[in-house]
Amino acid sequence: MAHGLYPKPPDLRGQRTQKLSDGELFWIIENGVRFTGMPAFGGTGEHGSGDDSWKLVRFIRHLPQLTMEERMEMDRYNPKGPDDRKEEQEENDFLQGQPVQQKPPGAHHH
Ligand code: HEM
């Protein structure tokens, strides 16, 4: 979603974000940033507002130390597009010993 947004969303691992206090991060998550793409995530959720936003504050604090394993775990929760699903299908077919679909010669882009 960040593409084409102005102002650009910050890199949450960076100084600009990490030097904000926990309270400031919490406030921004709850209220958003006016006149930008940053929406407000506050409101009355199942546990009342606040809980999830404090979890997000801790998440943002953890981002600079994110391990490769955690990154891959997060990747698995990302929505999948048709290309990802096709690739996954091909991997499963291959693992189950099915012949891999060959592209006809000359079908690739230049
Ligand atoms: C769980 C989701 C999100 C969290 C926890 C989050 C958190 C934050 C925080 C803490 C900031 C301020 C950081 C700073 O100023 O350095 C920020 C800024 C911003 N966010 Fe988000 N954000 C989320 C989702 C989004 C989404 C979905 C969009 C847009 C589609 C967005 C767009 C922006 C923009 C444009 C800013 C910068 C505003 C400015 O220039 O002051 N954010 N976000």
Side-chain angles (χ1 to χ4, degrees), residues 21-84:
S21 69
D22 286 358
E24 285 171 321
L25 290 175
F26 178 83
W27 195 93
I28 291 168
I29 292 165
E30 287 274 307
N31 298 293
V33 182
R34 273 186 99 185
F35 309 121
T36 76
M38 176 64 188
F41 291 99
T44 41
E46 198 182 333
H47 309 284
S49 87
D51 265 34
D52 288 343
S53 298
W54 282 118
K55 285 185 194 157
L56 284 167
V57 170
R58 290 177 44 199
F59 174 74
I60 289 173
R61 289 290 183 226
H62 183 65
L63 284 176
Q65 293 97 254
L66 204 68
T67 66
M68 189 50 78
E69 283 75 28
E70 288 169 328
R71 211 194 166 103
M72 282 160 68
E73 190 184 343
M74 281 165 60
D75 257 359
R76 287 205 295 276
Y77 292 103
N78 284 342
K80 289 195 174 137
D83 286 349
D84 302 304

